[in-house]
Amino acid sequence: MPVSSRLAVATHILTVMAVKGDVPIGSEDIAKRASTNAAVVRKIISMLGRSGITTSQTGAKGGTHLARAPEQITLLDVYRAVDTQEIFASPNCPPDASCPIGSQIGPVLDEVKAKATQAMEAELAAVSIAAIADKLKPLPA
């Protein structure tokens, strides 16, 4: 079962933008910095743009930059923008209803999943892109 790396890549992208300030940065430059493909960067930037986290401009001085201050962008915002996976998902096939465990395990796991999701989201909400960038300083723009 693959785990998404979009949150990590998106955080890298946004941290680069936070350090760059209002200077638009191209997807090729970001891809080089994040050691990934520019198409991956463009897809993530598109997701971030739809969520109002980034904004892009075309033209000779085009590129992407933050749509709001890095202090106002939390990792929860980023997670919600780019990651569609749940902490853990239910099986594709439901368990045997005649099994005493299978008939009850779903609601029990749903409760655990809800608590785990709440805890994870609280942690992500407590960290901003600015806080990530601050931990990496001093950095050249």
Side-chain angles (χ1 to χ4, degrees):
M1 289 179 263
V3 175
S4 174
S5 62
R6 282 184 284 202
L7 177 61
V9 174
T11 301
H12 189 145
I13 290 168
L14 295 172
T15 303
V16 169
M17 291 179 187
V19 170
K20 288 287 206 179
D22 289 333
V23 177
I25 185 166
S27 58
E28 296 287 339
D29 188 10
I30 295 169
K32 182 179 175 187
R33 293 168 183 255
S35 296
T36 192
N37 188 294
V40 170
V41 170
R42 284 189 290 275
K43 180 177 180 173
I44 291 174
I45 286 174
S46 176
M47 297 166 106
L48 294 167
R50 282 193 299 273
S51 295
I53 295 172
T54 62
T55 187
S56 298
Q57 60 189 55
T58 58
K61 296 185 180 188
T64 305
H65 55 89
L66 300 179
R68 53 188 200 254
E71 296 82 11
Q72 297 174 339
I73 303 168
T74 68
L75 291 184
L76 180 58
D77 298 327
V78 180
Y79 173 75
R80 287 180 173 163
V82 302
D83 222 318
T84 57
Q85 292 184 339
E86 296 184 53
I87 290 179
F88 60 90
S90 300
N92 291 335
C93 298
D96 182 353
S98 66
C99 169
I101 295 170
S103 65
Q104 300 178 67
I105 192 112
V108 172
L109 289 177
D110 286 345
E111 183 180 333
V112 171
K113 181 171 64 172
K115 288 179 180 178
T117 299
Q118 184 178 23
M120 179 196 70
E121 288 183 352
E123 287 297 317
L124 293 176
V127 180
S128 70
I129 293 298
I132 298 289
D134 286 346
K135 287 184 179 198
L136 302 175
K137 289 187 178 176
L139 292 174

